[in-house]
């Protein structure tokens, strides 16, 4: 797909990060641009494709517009701009005393996402992605690789929609409406793949990095997690038991 040429002078920078920058249109308040760095150009096409598929599946996400490029060669994606939005991470940071409330809402969104069944011919298998990564991993010994692959092979095969990078910075809301963003790793598989990302963001992000990435202190994140787990899994199981079940998926994400 050939990106449409646009003039970056029509946009104003609104934020930046590891993958690139975001811009708001100067005259159209309902339009935003996510612009990737040159060395990550392939990710713009991937995110555009995944965002379109998510939108078609009915997953709440800002409507994707066009794949575009600017004069310096960078590519990006135009999206519907959600004015007045806030990420769950920012909300927890701003009002840590509401962490329990935000966790309840976040859990419902995750459960709704994981209730969606997909056509597996249209999305990539997260299980196969991790299997491929481990097979090609340059630092694992043969024994380590075989042990991890045995674990992956035993993971249940499901056709559940997965965000792929599901943490409290990648869901935004305004009032009672919420949207998943950054869907470049959209796929299908066992929900604990997603929850491994969520748990890793909370439990294994150092304090300084927590403030840099998610704007909050560690205690607020832990309070969120301790309310999220029973809201997602229901009563009858301890948080420690559930964390033990999710922990291997955190390890996979780290690898």
């Amino acid at each position: 797909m050939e990106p449409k040429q646009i003039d970056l002078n029509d946009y104003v920078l609104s934020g930046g990060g590891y993958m690139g920058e975001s811009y708001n249109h100067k005259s159209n308040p309902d339009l935003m641009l996510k612009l990737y760095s040159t060395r990550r150009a392939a990710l713009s096409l991937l995110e555009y494709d995944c965002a379109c598929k998510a939108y078609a599946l009915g997953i709440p996400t800002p409507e994707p517009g066009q794949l575009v490029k600017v004069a310096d060669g960078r590519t990006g994606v135009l999206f519907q701009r959600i004015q007045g939005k806030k990420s769950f991470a920012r909300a927890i940071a701003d009002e840590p005393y509401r962490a329990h409330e935000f966790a309840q809402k976040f859990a419902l969104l995750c459960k709704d996402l994981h209730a969606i069944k997909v056509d597996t011919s249209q999305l990539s298998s997260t299980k196969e992605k991790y299997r491929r990564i481990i097979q090609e991993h340059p630092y694992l010994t043969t024994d380590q690789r075989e042990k991890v692959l045995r674990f992956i092979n035993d993971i249940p095969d499901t056709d559940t929609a997965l965000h792929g990078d599901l943490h409290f910075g990648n869901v935004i809301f305004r009032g009672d409406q919420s949207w998943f963003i950054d869907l470049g790793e959209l796929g299908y598989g066992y929900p604990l793949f997603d929850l491994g990302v969520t748990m890793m963001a909370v439990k294994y992000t150092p304090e300084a990095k927590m403030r840099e990435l998610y704007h909050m202190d560690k205690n607020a994140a832990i309070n969120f997690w301790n309310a999220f787990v029973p809201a997602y899994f229901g009563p009858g199981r301890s948080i420690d038991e559930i964390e033990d079940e999710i922990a291997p998926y955190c390890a996979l994400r780290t690898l």
Side-chain angles (χ1 to χ4, degrees):
M1 178 182 296
E2 182 64 27
K4 176 186 175 182
Q5 187 80 37
I6 63 169
D7 187 350
L8 193 56
N9 291 322
D10 293 333
Y11 295 80
V12 58
L13 183 66
S14 60
Y18 180 67
M19 294 295 185
E21 299 168 334
S22 58
Y23 295 80
N24 295 331
H25 197 278
K26 290 179 179 178
S27 61
N28 185 347
D30 298 320
L31 189 63
M32 68 156 288
L33 166 65
K34 185 171 182 180
L35 195 62
Y36 284 83
S37 61
T38 304
R39 63 194 179 97
R40 299 185 178 278
L43 292 179
S44 61
L45 181 58
L46 178 61
E47 179 160 6
Y48 179 71
D49 180 63
C50 289
C52 289
K53 288 177 177 176
Y55 193 78
L57 282 168
I59 295 172
T61 187
E63 183 176 3
Q66 293 177 292
L67 187 68
V68 298
K69 62 181 178 181
V70 297
D72 64 8
R74 287 181 294 168
T75 58
V77 181
L78 294 177
F79 285 101
Q80 170 196 9
R81 180 186 171 199
I82 309 298
Q83 298 183 64
K85 56 81 176 173
K86 181 179 285 191
S87 71
F88 275 84
R90 178 64 74 178
I92 298 163
D94 290 347
E95 301 178 283
Y97 56 90
R98 297 179 64 190
H100 185 277
E101 174 191 343
F102 295 135
Q104 297 279 330
K105 292 181 178 180
F106 193 84
L108 288 175
L109 289 167
C110 294
K111 290 173 71 174
D112 286 346
L113 172 66
H114 295 153
I116 296 174
K117 304 301 180 183
V118 305
D119 178 352
T120 57
S121 68
Q122 299 300 308
L123 294 177
S124 62
S125 165
T126 299
K127 181 174 176 177
E128 289 303 319
K129 178 184 77 172
Y130 277 101
R131 182 184 282 121
R132 183 174 64 254
I133 289 170
I134 296 305
Q135 287 171 337
E136 300 172 355
H137 203 288
Y139 302 117
L140 295 175
T141 66
T142 299
D143 183 57
Q144 289 169 336
R145 182 177 292 107
E146 289 177 352
K147 287 180 178 178
V148 178
L149 287 173
R150 282 198 296 271
F151 170 75
I152 293 174
N153 290 337
D154 288 339
I155 294 172
D157 293 306
T158 68
D159 56 357
T160 301
L162 297 181
H163 182 285
D165 193 19
L166 184 61
H167 57 73
F168 39 31
N170 277 344
V171 187
I172 61 174
F173 70 94
R174 183 185 63 199
D176 293 331
Q177 288 184 285
S178 300
W179 299 265
F180 293 97
I181 60 171
D182 293 350
L183 286 155
E185 295 186 62
L186 180 73
Y188 69 89
Y190 196 47
L192 292 195
F193 280 117
D194 263 357
L195 300 186
V197 178
T198 312
M199 178 171 157
M200 193 174 78
V202 172
K203 302 283 286 188
Y204 301 112
T205 302
E207 179 79 37
K209 202 68 175 177
M210 182 72 73
R211 292 185 180 276
E212 176 187 344
L213 294 176
Y214 306 121
H215 324 295
M216 71 183 75
D217 61 42
K218 193 79 170 182
N219 285 337
I222 295 298
N223 288 338
F224 167 89
W225 175 253
N226 288 342
F228 169 83
V229 171
Y232 182 93
F233 288 94
R237 300 177 64 194
S238 71
I239 292 178
D240 287 345
E241 178 188 356
I242 291 169
E243 287 181 351
D244 286 344
E245 184 178 352
I246 299 175
Y249 296 86
C250 297
L252 277 180
R253 184 69 174 184
T254 302
L255 289 170

